[in-house]
Amino acid sequence: MAVFEAHGAGQWMPTALAQGPFSGLQGGAVAGLLAGEIELLAAEHNWGEALSVSAWFLRPTPLARLRTEITPIRAGGRISIIDNTVWAEGQDQPCAMVRVTLGIPRAIDVPGFSPPDEPTFDPLQYPSSARAAPHGGPWFMDAMESRTGDGIGWFRLKEDVIVGAGSMARVLGPADWAHGIFRPLANVVADPNPNLTVQLLRAPCGEWIGIEPQTHWHPANGGGIGGGLIRDCAGVIGRVSMSVALTAFPGPARLP
């Protein structure tokens, strides 16, 4: 079962696995839908592989029928730039949008360059770190197996975001957790991210995506930043970054 089910061209129905921890769908799931749809179109038009995605979460995306619209900004040649936007059925204002940069791979000889030695990982050596949704129902984390160890959060999607999507759609869900894996303090405030940017050095090998996070908060202005390196079991494959809007929980703060 895919997290989003196609109901015709540009028409999607999210399953319960697309839900976030609070109101609306998980941002990484929505970004994965939009980027994945572009990846499907890129395969048809020979636009290459997704190199980077910038996503903006404009308002909560509801668990309802969705409509998407793809807009090519620059298509063809070595680099293509494609936008995709999503609306909830019956709403005039969009919920989220992404801009995807795609490139056609071209090997190049660089005299004197040698790639750095990278540590390898077996995520199965680490304990499972399953998380329940605050609302008590299904959510996007249920679509992934997660494990944590040595400062890295590892994720393996058990369900496709959309059927047939490429590597970027699979990376965006784990990447969206970069600010939430190792918070300065847990269960004290909410920390939604209104945006998300991912750059890929190469496509991941294997099923596991690792996030080696960095998180910084500045409560004086209610903000923060999250980010970190993205890995597969063989080495670094990219980087993620996002802004964080610190938000008080309703009622008393919940301490660990």
Side-chain angles (χ1 to χ4, degrees), residues 175-191:
D176 190 46
W177 279 102
H179 69 299
I181 299 171
F182 296 103
R183 294 177 173 93
L185 293 170
N187 301 320
V188 175
V189 293
D191 52 352

Side-chain angles (χ1 to χ4, degrees), residues 23-47:
S23 174
L25 306 185
Q26 178 73 28
V30 174
L33 162 67
L34 296 174
E37 194 176 18
I38 291 174
E39 289 181 300
L40 291 175
L41 193 62
E44 296 179 12
H45 293 277
N46 193 32
W47 290 338

Side-chain angles (χ1 to χ4, degrees), residues 161-252:
V161 178
I162 62 173
V163 174
S167 298
M168 186 61 83
R170 184 159 62 92
V171 168
L172 283 165
D176 190 46
W177 279 102
H179 69 299
I181 299 171
F182 296 103
R183 294 177 173 93
L185 293 170
N187 301 320
V188 175
V189 293
D191 52 352
N193 54 301
N195 52 44
L196 175 68
T197 297
V198 168
Q199 289 132 354
L200 287 185
L201 183 64
R202 59 171 175 82
C205 299
E207 297 181 305
W208 287 95
I209 304 297
I211 307 299
E212 186 175 343
Q214 291 184 333
T215 302
H216 303 277
W217 286 359
H218 191 63
N221 67 6
I225 56 173
L229 296 177
I230 306 173
R231 296 182 173 273
D232 62 15
C233 295
V236 172
I237 64 168
R239 182 176 290 277
V240 55
S241 64
M242 71 269 286
S243 301
V244 173
L246 301 180
T247 305
F249 286 130

Side-chain angles (χ1 to χ4, degrees), residues 22-92:
F22 300 109
S23 174
L25 306 185
Q26 178 73 28
V30 174
L33 162 67
L34 296 174
E37 194 176 18
I38 291 174
E39 289 181 300
L40 291 175
L41 193 62
E44 296 179 12
H45 293 277
N46 193 32
W47 290 338
E49 301 174 356
L51 304 177
S52 69
V53 171
S54 291
W56 296 268
F57 307 118
L58 308 175
R59 54 185 45 81
T61 303
L63 184 65
R65 193 180 183 94
L66 305 174
R67 173 176 64 88
T68 60
E69 182 177 315
I70 293 177
T71 304
I73 305 302
R74 182 185 189 278
R78 185 175 182 184
I79 299 295
S80 296
I81 300 171
I82 314 294
D83 287 357
N84 198 4
T85 307
V86 62
W87 291 261
E89 186 176 48
Q91 294 186 5
D92 294 330

Side-chain angles (χ1 to χ4, degrees), residues 112-206:
F113 175 80
S114 58
D117 291 332
E118 292 275 7
T120 59
F121 294 91
D122 176 11
L124 294 177
Q125 70 180 300
Y126 304 120
S128 175
S129 54
R131 299 173 175 88
H135 51 66
W139 67 322
F140 191 46
M141 283 297 297
D142 294 331
M144 297 185 282
E145 178 182 356
S146 61
R147 296 174 179 269
T148 303
D150 293 327
I152 301 174
W154 291 96
F155 302 86
R156 183 184 67 85
L157 277 170
K158 298 181 287 186
E159 312 291 346
D160 291 333
V161 178
I162 62 173
V163 174
S167 298
M168 186 61 83
R170 184 159 62 92
V171 168
L172 283 165
D176 190 46
W177 279 102
H179 69 299
I181 299 171
F182 296 103
R183 294 177 173 93
L185 293 170
N187 301 320
V188 175
V189 293
D191 52 352
N193 54 301
N195 52 44
L196 175 68
T197 297
V198 168
Q199 289 132 354
L200 287 185
L201 183 64
R202 59 171 175 82
C205 299

